[in-house]
Amino acid sequence: MYLNLQEVEKKVKNMFSKMEESVEEKYRVKNDLFFIESNPNYLPGTYVYVDEKGYHMDFVGDRGGIVAEEIYTEINDLLFQLCWDRASSISIEFAAKNREPGKDWRRIMFKKILELLKILSDNYYEQGKEKINIILSENPYNDSLLG
């Protein structure tokens, strides 16, 4: 049996709040997460809803249309992905404003993502490390591109 949408929303908002409490206001990102079933004509953003198939996470693009749909059967998988996405958005803002000349900006971004995930749980931190390792194995840091 799946949690109802109100329970999911409460969990997500609580987790986002914990992450955002740890960062300055200037790094916080606008809310583009909606807890309703998606529709191709809705505002751009992420839509979360629950039905008999599981926990849905749909993305409506800037030009409309549902550009990606994911279904999770485990609440923790959904929560991790939502927290990863929010931590990534915050970390991109952070990295953009704190770049180090001549260094791949992702160094700062990935470090910040892990800091934010660690606030939530050791498990999310470890999942984040795994995800970053996969990203870096496919696209290693490249400081030479930055002169």
Side-chain angles (χ1 to χ4, degrees):
M1 187 70 184
Y2 301 115
L3 297 177
N4 68 44
L5 188 56
Q6 292 76 23
E7 293 168 318
V8 173
E9 182 176 5
K10 184 177 178 182
K11 283 181 173 289
V12 171
K13 287 182 175 181
N14 181 45
M15 295 172 98
F16 283 10
S17 175
K18 286 179 183 178
M19 282 193 291
E20 290 174 352
E21 285 173 1
S22 72
V23 296
E24 294 176 50
E25 182 74 32
K26 65 183 175 182
Y27 302 124
R28 295 183 188 165
V29 294
K30 74 176 183 110
N31 184 30
D32 62 353
L33 178 61
F34 307 97
F35 293 92
I36 57 172
E37 189 168 345
S38 62
N39 179 303
N41 299 317
Y42 284 176
L43 292 171
T46 303
Y47 290 80
V48 173
Y49 62 98
V50 182
D51 68 12
E52 67 281 348
K53 294 178 186 173
Y55 303 103
H56 295 255
M57 187 168 79
D58 296 349
F59 304 93
V60 173
D62 290 338
R63 296 182 181 186
I66 298 171
V67 296
E69 299 173 276
E70 297 177 29
I71 301 174
Y72 300 92
T73 56
E74 298 295 326
I75 186 64
N76 282 328
D77 294 340
L78 171 72
L79 294 175
F80 172 76
Q81 189 58 53
L82 289 168
C83 290
W84 169 269
D85 291 351
R86 180 57 58 103
S88 295
S89 295
I90 292 168
S91 298
I92 288 168
E93 288 294 317
F94 183 84
K97 293 176 176 140
N98 294 283
R99 287 183 77 141
E100 295 181 46
K103 290 195 176 181
D104 190 322
W105 64 277
R106 296 177 304 156
R107 293 179 194 279
I108 295 171
M109 182 187 80
F110 289 148
K111 181 179 177 190
K112 190 59 148 177
I113 288 172
L114 291 177
E115 286 174 16
L116 294 170
L117 293 175
K118 180 76 170 170
I119 291 167
L120 301 176
S121 77
D122 290 338
N123 187 40
Y124 283 6
Y125 174 81
E126 291 300 324
Q127 284 182 266
K129 278 181 25 179
E130 288 176 27
K131 196 165 183 149
I132 290 167
N133 286 336
I134 292 168
I135 292 167
L136 291 174
S137 72
E138 295 170 1
N139 296 293
Y141 291 124
N142 189 346
D143 297 325
S144 65
L145 290 176
L146 303 171

